[in-house]
Amino acid sequence: MPDRLCLQGILFALCNDRAWQSPFLEPGVGSGQSCWRRLEWWQKKSPADNNRQAICGTTKFTKDPTITDDSCDEFPFAGAYESGALNGFYHGKDCAQVTAVKKGSGTGLPTVRPTVAVIGTPSGNEKCVRGHIPGPLNSDLSGAYGNFVISDRLADDDALWLQIAS
């Protein structure tokens, strides 16, 4: 559901003192539950931003000059309860470090940088990973994850397993 419709639904519920469980009677406004979930998600964006800053903040991440448009990426995702920052890590240096490896040429970043290499010697006990990833590839991947969470209406109590395939 588009953000604008969710906002209309939230305002409609608040202005009309409606229960969130009730379907809205206004045409074009989403269900109460959909609007409630979106409001919850918007409110939780701030903790995700804080988590991201703890691992990838500008004073905590030094860009790699060999990676065009280098950006910091973290795993688990900043918006997840397993985020490094939510598990007691307040600096990305405490995470295992990786970098995107250039394997080819062209315009498709997933084919140009299809793998990552470990930087240094991790202990294996790190609870997070921080990577040097080209900005457009990072935003494409995080956008896909964010769209998945919204489109599949994942809630806090939904189990999510991530399988990484090579």
Side-chain angles (χ1 to χ4, degrees):
M1 178 187 321
D3 287 346
R4 185 176 181 90
L5 289 180
C6 285
L7 182 58
Q8 286 176 321
I10 291 164
L11 293 173
F12 180 80
L14 294 173
C15 290
N16 293 291
D17 199 27
R18 297 287 303 267
W20 290 105
Q21 292 79 12
S22 302
F24 292 123
L25 303 177
E26 290 282 307
V29 175
S31 74
Q33 281 299 319
S34 294
C35 294
W36 172 255
R37 285 187 191 115
R38 186 69 57 89
L39 178 61
E40 248 187 344
W41 182 76
W42 284 337
Q43 290 173 329
K44 290 180 182 178
K45 259 186 126 170
S46 177
D49 291 340
N50 292 337
N51 295 340
R52 187 170 295 104
Q53 286 301 313
I55 303 301
C56 293
T58 55
T59 62
K60 299 176 181 185
F61 179 76
T62 303
K63 292 186 177 202
D64 181 341
T66 65
I67 297 179
T68 304
D69 198 18
D70 187 20
S71 71
C72 181
D73 197 10
E74 74 283 353
F75 184 83
F77 308 116
Y81 284 118
E82 294 78 16
S83 164
L86 288 178
N87 285 291
F89 296 97
Y90 302 104
H91 199 294
K93 67 178 175 52
D94 300 321
C95 302
Q97 307 294 314
V98 297
T99 188
V101 177
K102 190 170 185 175
K103 294 282 186 181
S105 61
T107 57
L109 281 171
T111 57
V112 173
R113 295 190 181 269
T115 61
V116 295
V118 176
I119 300 171
T121 309
S123 68
N125 294 322
E126 291 84 2
K127 303 289 184 199
C128 53
V129 177
R130 180 174 71 172
H132 292 268
I133 308 295
L137 181 58
N138 190 354
S139 61
D140 285 351
L141 294 172
S142 62
Y145 167 73
N147 290 337
F148 166 73
V149 169
I150 293 168
S151 67
D152 285 271
R153 297 185 174 140
L154 294 182
D156 285 344
D157 55 353
D158 289 334
L160 171 65
W161 291 94
L162 181 65
Q163 180 177 354
I164 300 173
S166 58

